[in-house]
Amino acid sequence: MARWFRRREVWWPTWPTALLLVAIGAALLVGAATLGPAWMAPHAPALGPDGAGARTLVVEGWLTEAELDQALATARGGRYERILTTGGPIGAWAGVRHWTTFAARAADYLATHAATGDPPVFAVPAPQSTKDRTFLSAAMVGDWARRTGTALPAVDLYSAGVHARRTRMLYRMALGPGVEVGVLAARPQEYDAGHWWRSSAGAKTVIGEALSLAWTVCCFWPPAPDSGAEPRSPPKAPG
């Protein structure tokens, strides 16, 4: 038996210690469930170079109509000079009408519902990609600014709920340190943000976005500026 097994002394928590550890874990879990979604959906607009806010509002084109309505109301409440809509190709599903990209879809919706005095809307489409589409959309915003000669010292992003923090992180990577990136999060319509665990839509959205945020923090490698390369994940270890 000595050839196959070896006796070792193992420290094991007592029952009071085990209960304390369980209580601490439960408290951390409840805190994360309660405060986590609010942390992932920040309301932090850019100050701008003069302290009066950004002049450009970037709206993610895949937002729902209700969320686009919120974005339009936000545009009217600021001093924005332009709205940029982003997003790649739309699949050939029934009901998409003549739109070929989410950027065009959102631009059409915002322009159709705009009132006199609202900022002009420009579609900034992204090419087809199977990964890191938010980063690619951010890179297209930078390309649009250079192509049109538009200064972007600061931008505000309009994203959907818990997707907002990750969106801001990726835009900061893509636009570089010379652009201040603020973010505004639309209120979710499909679930109660304060009790997201009570619905499958809320659980799927919050948990999925939390995992995506963690992956972006630990594993996302942006390409070098102006390299023309798509963003990638770290290389796998050999073997």
Side-chain angles (χ1 to χ4, degrees), residues 12-25:
W12 196 257
T14 62
W15 280 111
T17 303
L19 290 175
L20 178 61
L21 293 175
V22 169
I24 293 174

Side-chain angles (χ1 to χ4, degrees), residues 127-192:
Q128 177 67 43
S129 179
T130 59
K131 62 178 183 178
D132 306 315
R133 291 182 291 270
T134 299
F135 182 90
L136 185 58
S137 291
M140 293 302 101
V141 169
D143 289 346
W144 178 89
R146 289 187 289 271
R147 187 173 65 251
T148 61
T150 303
L152 290 181
V155 300
D156 279 341
L157 306 175
Y158 205 89
S159 187
V162 293
H163 185 67
R165 182 170 290 275
R166 185 163 67 96
T167 298
R168 182 178 62 179
M169 180 184 301
L170 292 168
Y171 268 76
R172 284 174 171 173
M173 292 180 184
L175 299 180
V179 181
E180 182 190 1
V181 181
V183 66
L184 306 164
R187 298 183 304 276
Q189 305 296 310
E190 297 83 7
Y191 61 93
D192 178 4

